[in-house]
Amino acid sequence: MKNSREFQNFYFENDVVRQVVIALPRHKVAHFTLNVYDNMAEGEEPEKKRRRIEELNENMVVDGGNGDRSDWQGQWDHVKKFLERAGPFTHPDFEPSTESLQFLMDTCKILVIGAGGLGCELLKDLALSGFRHIHVVDMDTIDISNLNRQFLFRPKDVGRPKAEVAADFVNDRVLGCNVVPHFKKIQDLDESFYRQFHIVVCGLDSVVARRWMNGMLLSLLIYEDGVLDPSSIIPLIDGGTEGFKGNARVILPGMTACIDCTLELYPPQINFPMCTIASMPRLPEHCVEYVRILLWPKEKPFGDGEALDGDDPKHIQWVYQKSLDRAAEFSITGVTYRLTQGVVKRIIPAVASTNAVIAAACATEVFKIATSAYVPLNNYMVFNDVDGLYTYTFEAERKENCSACSQVPQDLQFLPSAKLQEVLDYLTENASLQMKSPAITTTLDGKNKTLYLQTVASIEERTRPNLSKTLKELGLVDGQELAVADVTTPQTVLFKLNFIS
Amino acid sequence: MTDHKTSKEQKYDRQLRLWGDHGQEGLENAHVCLINATATGTEILKNLVLPGIGAFTIVDGHKVSGEDVGNNLSKPKVTCMLNDVVLILQNRAQAATELLQELNSDVSGNFVEESPDKLLDNDPEFFHRFSLVIGVQLPESTCLRLGSVLWDAGVPFLVCRTYGLIGYMRLIVKEHTVIESHPDNALEDLRLDQPFTELKHHIESYDLDSMEKKDHSHTPWIIVVAKYLEKWYSEHNSQLPKNYKEKEAFRQLIREGILTNENGTPEDEENFEEAIKNVNTALNPTKVPSATEDIFNAEQCENITSQSPSFWVMAHGVRDFVRNEGNGKLPVRGTIPDMIADSDKFIKLQNVYRDKAMKDAAVVSKHVEALLQSFGKPPESISEQEIKLFCKNAAFLRVVRCRSLAEEYSMDTFNKDEITSCMDSADSEMVLYLMLRSVNRFYQQHSRYPGVYNYQVEEDINKLKLCVNSLLQEYSLNVNVKDDYIHEFCRYGAAEPHTVAAFLGGSAAQEAIKIITHQFVPFNNTFLYNAMSQTSATFQL
């Protein structure tokens, strides 16, 4: 696999701008025969003849028996202009050639994460830009509320896996394109799977999944004597949208700011305080949360063990009615069915247009990196079209001690008398860590010991008493190494515990 | 029927949360005309068909070509038609219509197999019927002709163009009014500097000094600030804390009000913390924002006639309110942010604002009614609900007026200052505008775009340079266009790469939705996107 990695020459164009540039060494690109028109162009063909042939090319609508090349004549003319012509703004290593298009079509392997609003757009954008080897991973099935933007799906597809329907659609419509679907969680695929791709594009709505993917690509990096082997880098293009706002960014894992370097850009999810929900609601949202969190488990309206399903209209209807009752009790107005569903499912508004914009920007970056036709975005672009059309492009900076990509050991500073609960709170609440359900293990007396783990109920129960013990009581010493596992990363993060006095 | 309604609600759920049922209704009543179903054109329509625009009509005289297949949404099906000569020779308008229609059965799609120029020759009124006309990849001459017809007819016109890695949009609308601009970070309208009578009474009903601890720490911060403001006034000659130093002193005053326990340490009173945190915005003087003031002073607001759109009638009504009952202030918005408080205290306070907002809107209603009656129009021609919405948004009203294409092109009225000042930096997106204008000039002279075929690129660079120079000369623009851009535009060869078309497709669709729903604020008036650097800029030309 490693031999087929085409990305190698990284260098900084100048010290001031620090533009990171990726180049494809030509000799590694797959072999293919030169296009007939280029043979002529390279020969001594008279101008007139060339022109006549090109006009013929333009006018010929139907494929004129060009053997196994099943494209229409002219189908890729829009793309070719950028690949077969020299220009003043190209990547410094760019060499115009017909090989680039061939590389896109025959060799370059792209992974699209998510087949939702962004994913559908990305698949179409990539397929129509000449990419043919595309994999797509999505664990979701199609819901009717997807149809206002996820345009590869039709009403008849509701309930089917997004990845499969999207792949079928693109394969069916874009001749020669081979989209391979994976109806799976990203966590169910391993390193050997991810390693096969040249570029990964994310169209996700979850920060946790983004961080996991970021962590996976970081885990594929190879360092020799502390020096990063550039051929082990798989560029990550990440898109995100919310309503009329979005962002697109290019990440070269190990070289430029990664998702975790800029974690402060994603504000932690705000939850209403429990006392507000339980005893002093003021907003309709508080009433819905009361029903969702407190009333549902108590009343078990659909039987014991039946979890609240935001997609089940009967469930939402029940929550809605009970929320109305709760609101009436406190003279709160504004509880509606739509609001109820929005709170229960934590719905983020979404439209076709923003997804189209952000996916297009991401796909342009994939194209730039795959072909070196242009210097890629360095490295973050935000978009907002609430008031006019606004974009802002900037270079997000690497965090020197990023817990995901810095290779710097992470320090934890605590008093020996601090309780394990405080460590846990720090891991979840610190703005640059924002872990979800960290599991903490360490080595004591040469043995692995789980200090706390909450994802398995029996272990949680057994380790819960540790939370109220002090670090000293747990037998931890200054300089102790703590290994922390979390859903936000496929790798265990190592922390060094430093006692402060 | 109800089933259809609920399924629609489900399908459009994610967008109804942005523009509401009334925005959706506007969208479903709109009829958009798209000229040229190229990659950019079909992408725009796709993003309008998905959210459920009422109807579209494609005007296109072209046949489907191989290039369309490589970059067009309609590529998919068209590719399947690879060996179907009959369908391939189909008009591009029809092919695109069928493919787009498939995306959403609620939408009615039509097509006209005619070039826009022919329609302008034979039936210019054809274009009058649309809510919006979107012209894509139009030659300059067609664009200007159509622009003039639509300007006179008062039909909004959105011009879109993908040229290589450059996206261009131009909006031409004489006057576009927005009630719901949905600002991102709007200041609250709390009137703490000038409390209305009902709010004063409500504040008086609190006595922080005699309160139980539980009530004290569950008093909304608005009340806390109001109470300490009274104290401040008595010591500061009834003047608001103005500068940083005074505000800091005021915060300290509030901090001293936090209850202490028997040891003298302050209790944990989150409502007081909130009060301290909100001092800065809470003390913002209540005033009419300048954008709203401009609307009041506009000629359309001054001279209401029976033909005046309801926006202006309502604006006049609100202006009357401000100048009379409102004592220089807008109607109260009637909303407050969530804050630490028990339910009862919060709801009571919320109702004080809400009731006042209703009262103010009712007064505005009377003004509007009187105005309507003076033209012999029934008072119900503007609904109570519309007036309430207008009052609630009175601080966020926006009017967008774009210059016409004729003004942009005329030697006397073109925006020389904007162009020259932007061109002080040679890589400003303005250079892309000048290049597009030069490319149009090239087309005029050579009946083709530069660099379409590989062998043309080198020789066209000089020809295009001549066009750049003649453009600059004609408009007496003393600016420098770098040769690199001339070369780059020849390299583009008028290509319409899919990802740039898709970027523009999303942006243009959103602008169309703004125009149709009268929500959010459209750009004014020229947008340029540079996919090479992922940057963009908006100019008034």
Side-chain angles (χ1 to χ4, degrees):
Chain A
M1 224 59 238
K2 286 234 39 72
N3 293 339
S4 74
R5 173 97 338 105
E6 268 77 13
F7 300 98
Q8 240 179 17
N9 305 340
F10 294 82
Y11 65 89
F12 298 108
E13 206 173 19
N14 69 54
D15 287 341
V16 187
V17 187
R18 286 189 66 228
Q19 279 175 315
V20 180
V21 191
I22 303 177
L24 288 175
R26 292 292 143 206
H27 63 274
K28 287 200 175 177
V29 176
H31 297 288
F32 53 88
T33 45
L34 283 171
N35 181 302
V36 57
Y37 303 110
D38 280 85
N39 280 338
M40 288 183 187
E42 277 166 17
E44 307 273 288
E45 290 293 325
E47 174 84 348
K48 264 189 184 170
K49 190 172 176 187
R50 233 193 296 162
R51 186 169 183 166
R52 190 179 59 78
I53 290 169
E54 273 155 347
E55 276 168 2
L56 193 65
N57 177 12
E58 167 82 352
N59 295 332
M60 205 157 49
V61 178
V62 187
D63 184 2
N66 204 359
D68 51 2
R69 285 300 300 274
S70 46
D71 315 328
W72 273 17
Q73 292 296 336
Q75 181 175 355
W76 303 112
D77 280 4
H78 292 281
V79 176
K80 280 181 180 173
K81 295 198 170 78
F82 301 95
L83 303 179
E84 299 175 6
R85 294 174 175 187
F89 298 116
T90 59
H91 182 293
D93 271 9
F94 175 73
E95 284 169 41
S97 108
T98 52
E99 293 181 16
S100 293
L101 181 61
Q102 219 54 42
F103 171 72
L104 288 194
M105 292 191 168
D106 300 341
T107 313
C108 193
K109 242 172 146 174
I110 309 286
L111 175 63
V112 175
I113 307 285
L118 283 167
C120 283
E121 287 284 337
L122 282 167
L123 290 172
K124 170 214 63 171
D125 290 344
L126 294 169
L128 296 184
S129 300
F131 294 93
R132 290 183 159 179
H133 299 286
I134 307 171
H135 286 237
V136 59
V137 183
D138 197 306
M139 58 180 276
D140 264 352
T141 53
I142 297 163
D143 181 75
I144 183 167
S145 64
N146 301 145
L147 302 180
N148 80 326
R149 61 197 187 284
Q150 299 174 18
F151 70 99
L152 302 178
F153 311 143
R154 303 285 174 267
K156 67 172 168 50
D157 301 321
V158 168
R160 291 185 57 204
K162 286 185 177 179
E164 290 173 11
V165 176
D168 284 351
F169 192 104
V170 175
N171 292 340
D172 180 42
R173 296 261 176 126
V174 185
L175 211 76
C177 189
N178 179 26
V179 181
V180 180
H182 302 272
F183 176 37
K184 279 194 169 89
K185 287 185 183 163
I186 50 172
Q187 291 85 353
D188 294 340
L189 293 155
D190 62 10
E191 286 181 20
S192 65
F193 172 79
Y194 290 110
R195 209 190 295 275
Q196 65 180 305
F197 297 100
H198 293 104
I199 301 169
V200 176
V201 207
C202 278
L204 288 162
D205 57 3
S206 137
V207 178
V208 171
R210 251 191 208 101
R211 293 175 68 186
W212 190 91
M213 204 52 235
N214 180 62
M216 171 52 78
L217 296 184
L218 286 167
S219 77
L220 298 179
L221 295 177
I222 295 167
Y223 290 86
E224 275 163 35
D225 301 327
V227 179
L228 175 60
D229 173 2
S231 71
S232 66
I233 295 176
I234 301 176
L236 171 66
I237 320 285
D238 181 60
T241 68
E242 182 175 338
F244 299 131
K245 296 168 197 145
N247 66 76
R249 62 189 292 189
V250 173
I251 295 167
L252 304 179
M255 292 200 71
T256 66
C258 80
I259 299 279
D260 282 56
C261 286
T262 57
L263 213 51
E264 277 95 344
L265 295 177
Y266 306 104
Q269 187 177 305
I270 294 160
N271 292 311
F272 301 120
M274 197 43 88
C275 59
T276 296
I277 296 170
S279 55
M280 45 184 114
R282 299 173 296 271
L283 304 181
E285 288 86 350
H286 299 155
C287 302
V288 179
E289 284 293 73
Y290 167 81
V291 178
R292 182 179 76 89
I293 298 170
L294 299 172
L295 214 55
W296 183 278
K298 204 172 99 193
E299 298 205 358
K300 302 184 178 76
F302 295 87
D304 209 0
E306 175 97 359
L308 175 51
D309 176 3
D311 292 318
D312 187 332
K314 290 196 298 293
H315 289 194
I316 296 291
Q317 187 62 34
W318 187 85
V319 176
Y320 169 51
Q321 285 303 333
K322 293 290 175 183
S323 304
L324 277 178
D325 296 346
R326 175 85 173 164
E329 189 185 328
F330 290 93
S331 313
I332 294 168
T333 53
V335 172
T336 62
Y337 186 90
R338 188 179 293 162
L339 177 121
T340 305
Q341 198 175 25
V343 174
V344 171
K345 293 180 70 179
R346 297 192 180 276
I347 289 175
I348 297 165
V351 279
S353 55
T354 317
N355 283 313
V357 168
I358 295 302
C362 289
T364 298
E365 294 310 313
V366 175
F367 183 81
K368 287 182 192 169
I369 293 176
T371 63
S372 7
Y374 289 90
V375 177
L377 162 67
N378 184 32
N379 51 31
Y380 207 115
M381 189 260 283
V382 292
F383 173 87
N384 182 345
D385 61 1
V386 171
D387 188 347
L389 280 154
Y390 169 85
T391 65
Y392 175 61
T393 307
F394 68 99
E395 182 183 353
E397 289 188 14
R398 284 191 81 179
K399 213 169 126 196
E400 268 175 45
N401 60 344
C402 170
S403 66
C405 78
S406 71
Q407 303 276 306
V408 175
Q410 301 293 304
D411 282 340
L412 288 174
Q413 315 270 357
F414 281 96
L415 289 166
S417 60
K419 300 208 166 85
L420 187 64
Q421 179 71 51
E422 293 171 49
V423 177
L424 191 76
D425 291 347
Y426 178 81
L427 294 173
T428 53
E429 286 165 15
N430 181 285
S432 56
L433 292 172
Q434 294 187 40
M435 292 186 165
K436 300 299 160 193
S437 50
I440 311 173
T441 56
T442 190
T443 313
L444 281 176
D445 306 327
K447 280 186 207 151
N448 265 338
K449 189 180 175 196
T450 301
L451 296 174
Y452 185 66
L453 188 150
Q454 54 186 306
T455 43
V456 181
S458 59
I459 305 180
E460 198 279 332
E461 210 171 307
R462 184 159 54 76
T463 55
R464 197 186 310 151
N466 287 345
L467 290 178
S468 45
K469 289 185 187 157
T470 68
L471 302 180
K472 203 175 160 197
E473 282 166 356
L474 287 165
L476 305 179
V477 295
D478 190 38
Q480 182 97 32
E481 264 199 357
L482 301 180
V484 179
D486 188 52
V487 288
T488 53
T489 166
Q491 285 179 299
T492 303
V493 186
L494 285 181
F495 288 92
K496 198 171 137 204
L497 182 62
N498 291 328
F499 280 157
I500 45 176
S501 41
Chain B
M1 190 63 203
T2 358
D3 270 2
H4 185 62
K5 191 167 170 273
T6 31
S7 85
K8 251 189 175 177
E9 261 189 57
Q10 285 173 354
K11 184 163 80 175
Y12 297 134
D13 179 87
R14 298 303 183 271
Q15 68 200 42
L16 292 174
R17 292 169 193 276
L18 292 166
W19 52 67
D21 296 311
H22 58 300
Q24 187 65 26
E25 198 186 318
L27 205 57
E28 288 174 16
N29 288 328
H31 189 170
V32 170
C33 172
L34 170 77
I35 304 172
N36 287 337
T38 68
T40 311
T42 48
E43 278 295 310
I44 297 169
L45 267 195
K46 162 182 138 273
N47 297 323
L48 290 173
V49 167
L50 286 167
I53 189 141
F56 67 83
T57 295
I58 297 179
V59 173
D60 195 325
H62 297 87
K63 299 274 181 238
V64 174
S65 75
E67 290 206 3
D68 292 322
V69 180
N71 68 357
N72 200 313
L73 168 74
S74 43
K75 162 197 178 144
K77 193 154 172 190
V78 176
T79 309
C80 298
M81 303 167 188
L82 199 60
N83 297 312
D84 190 336
V85 179
V86 180
L87 280 172
I88 284 165
L89 294 177
Q90 183 181 35
N91 183 288
R92 195 165 68 178
Q94 182 182 352
T97 303
E98 286 169 6
L99 288 158
L100 286 162
Q101 184 104 57
E102 185 196 311
L103 293 171
N104 190 344
S105 55
D106 298 339
V107 178
S108 140
N110 317 280
F111 62 90
V112 177
E113 299 178 352
E114 195 79 85
S115 79
D117 284 301
K118 277 230 176 84
L119 280 171
L120 283 168
D121 288 340
N122 302 331
D123 182 19
E125 288 186 5
F126 168 83
F127 294 103
H128 291 188
R129 74 193 70 173
F130 300 109
S131 330
L132 168 72
V133 175
I134 304 174
V136 176
Q137 312 295 82
L138 291 178
E140 191 175 71
S141 56
T142 313
C143 196
L144 289 169
R145 265 183 92 190
L146 186 57
S148 138
V149 165
L150 295 174
W151 181 262
D152 292 340
V155 177
F157 184 28
L158 182 61
V159 180
C160 300
R161 186 168 193 190
T162 300
Y163 201 94
L165 288 195
I166 305 306
Y168 162 87
M169 282 200 286
R170 171 72 155 92
L171 179 65
I172 305 113
V173 56
K174 258 186 199 162
E175 178 189 287
H176 177 78
T177 55
V178 183
I179 298 172
E180 294 166 274
S181 59
H182 301 279
D184 267 338
N185 301 302
L187 279 175
E188 301 289 346
D189 180 27
L190 301 177
R191 310 280 165 119
L192 287 173
D193 59 329
Q194 305 177 46
F196 43 90
T197 317
E198 297 86 341
L199 179 59
K200 262 189 210 153
H201 291 324
H202 186 70
I203 295 166
E204 278 162 18
S205 73
Y206 278 85
D207 181 3
L208 293 178
D209 298 332
S210 66
M211 269 179 163
E212 293 288 315
K213 187 185 153 227
K214 186 167 174 261
D215 281 326
H216 194 266
S217 56
H218 287 98
T219 298
W221 70 256
I222 291 180
I223 303 288
V224 174
V225 169
K227 284 290 184 190
Y228 284 91
L229 202 52
E230 282 170 16
K231 220 173 233 174
W232 174 272
Y233 281 149
S234 67
E235 294 160 14
H236 293 84
N237 205 13
S238 297
Q239 293 292 306
L240 279 176
K242 286 194 187 70
N243 48 41
Y244 177 78
K245 205 179 142 201
E246 285 179 7
K247 282 181 182 166
E248 204 45 49
F250 181 60
R251 285 191 194 100
Q252 186 53 34
L253 188 69
I254 297 176
R255 204 169 281 125
E256 283 159 14
I258 296 177
L259 294 181
T260 52
N261 64 15
E262 53 273 23
N263 303 326
T265 47
E267 296 276 4
D268 193 15
E269 292 199 294
E270 283 181 87
N271 56 333
F272 273 68
E273 295 302 330
E274 279 188 348
I276 291 163
K277 211 175 70 197
N278 281 292
V279 158
N280 211 19
T281 48
L283 298 185
N284 246 317
T286 303
K287 58 172 187 245
V288 180
S290 63
T292 306
E293 196 70 64
D294 290 346
I295 288 169
F296 290 160
N297 296 329
E299 194 220 318
Q300 294 90 326
C301 188
E302 200 71 51
N303 307 314
I304 299 291
T305 68
S306 61
Q307 302 303 311
S308 291
S310 58
F311 178 92
W312 291 109
V313 178
M314 290 190 283
H316 193 100
V318 171
R319 192 186 76 168
D320 285 348
F321 173 89
V322 172
R323 292 184 179 175
N324 297 291
E325 301 86 345
N327 292 317
K329 296 181 289 285
L330 291 172
V332 167
R333 197 178 305 156
T335 55
I336 58 172
D338 187 31
M339 60 193 77
I340 302 283
D342 58 52
S343 308
D344 186 52
K345 293 191 185 65
F346 179 82
I347 300 295
K348 276 192 179 134
L349 179 63
Q350 192 181 41
N351 284 338
V352 169
Y353 282 95
R354 196 178 275 182
D355 292 347
K356 173 66 174 159
M358 303 269 267
K359 249 193 206 167
D360 286 355
V363 177
V364 172
S365 257
K366 287 267 176 276
H367 287 295
V368 170
E369 216 171 279
L371 207 55
L372 288 170
Q373 267 164 350
S374 69
F375 304 114
K377 276 187 155 184
E380 60 273 16
S381 58
I382 298 179
S383 75
E384 205 63 36
Q385 215 179 344
E386 278 175 88
I387 294 171
K388 273 185 196 157
L389 186 72
F390 195 91
C391 290
K392 197 175 169 184
N393 286 286
F396 314 129
L397 302 173
R398 298 284 287 271
V399 176
V400 175
R401 293 189 184 89
C402 297
R403 278 156 49 95
S404 68
L405 284 177
E407 287 170 290
E408 177 186 337
Y409 274 72
S410 153
M411 299 295 162
D412 304 325
T413 52
F414 81 100
N415 197 344
K416 190 171 184 175
D417 289 348
E418 177 100 328
I419 296 172
T420 35
S421 69
C422 288
M423 286 304 289
D424 281 348
S425 88
D427 293 314
S428 155
E429 279 80 3
M430 186 59 85
V431 73
L432 308 174
Y433 168 75
L434 294 175
M435 283 313 306
L436 287 172
R437 289 286 300 267
S438 305
V439 155
N440 287 342
R441 198 160 277 240
F442 187 105
Y443 185 85
Q444 235 167 42
Q445 290 173 11
H446 305 279
S447 305
R448 63 174 178 87
Y449 287 109
V452 172
Y453 302 117
N454 288 345
Y455 72 91
Q456 296 169 329
V457 176
E458 283 304 317
E459 58 191 78
D460 282 354
I461 291 176
N462 283 327
K463 289 183 190 159
L464 183 57
K465 189 166 183 166
L466 291 175
C467 295
V468 172
N469 289 338
S470 82
L471 176 85
L472 297 180
Q473 225 160 45
E474 197 178 312
Y475 285 88
S476 318
L477 284 164
N478 187 20
V479 301
N480 177 38
V481 172
K482 282 205 246 169
D483 282 351
D484 280 354
Y485 287 100
I486 298 171
H487 183 178
E488 181 71 5
F489 270 68
C490 283
R491 180 175 185 244
Y492 291 157
E496 199 183 348
H498 181 82
T499 59
V500 182
F503 187 101
L504 216 51
S507 313
Q510 189 51 39
E511 295 311 304
I513 290 168
K514 290 175 184 176
I515 293 290
I516 292 163
T517 60
H518 285 263
Q519 293 189 39
F520 313 98
V521 188
F523 73 106
N524 185 6
N525 55 30
T526 301
F527 174 76
L528 280 148
Y529 166 61
N530 181 347
M532 294 185 283
S533 52
Q534 297 289 10
T535 54
S536 75
T538 303
F539 303 115
Q540 286 212 18
L541 295 171

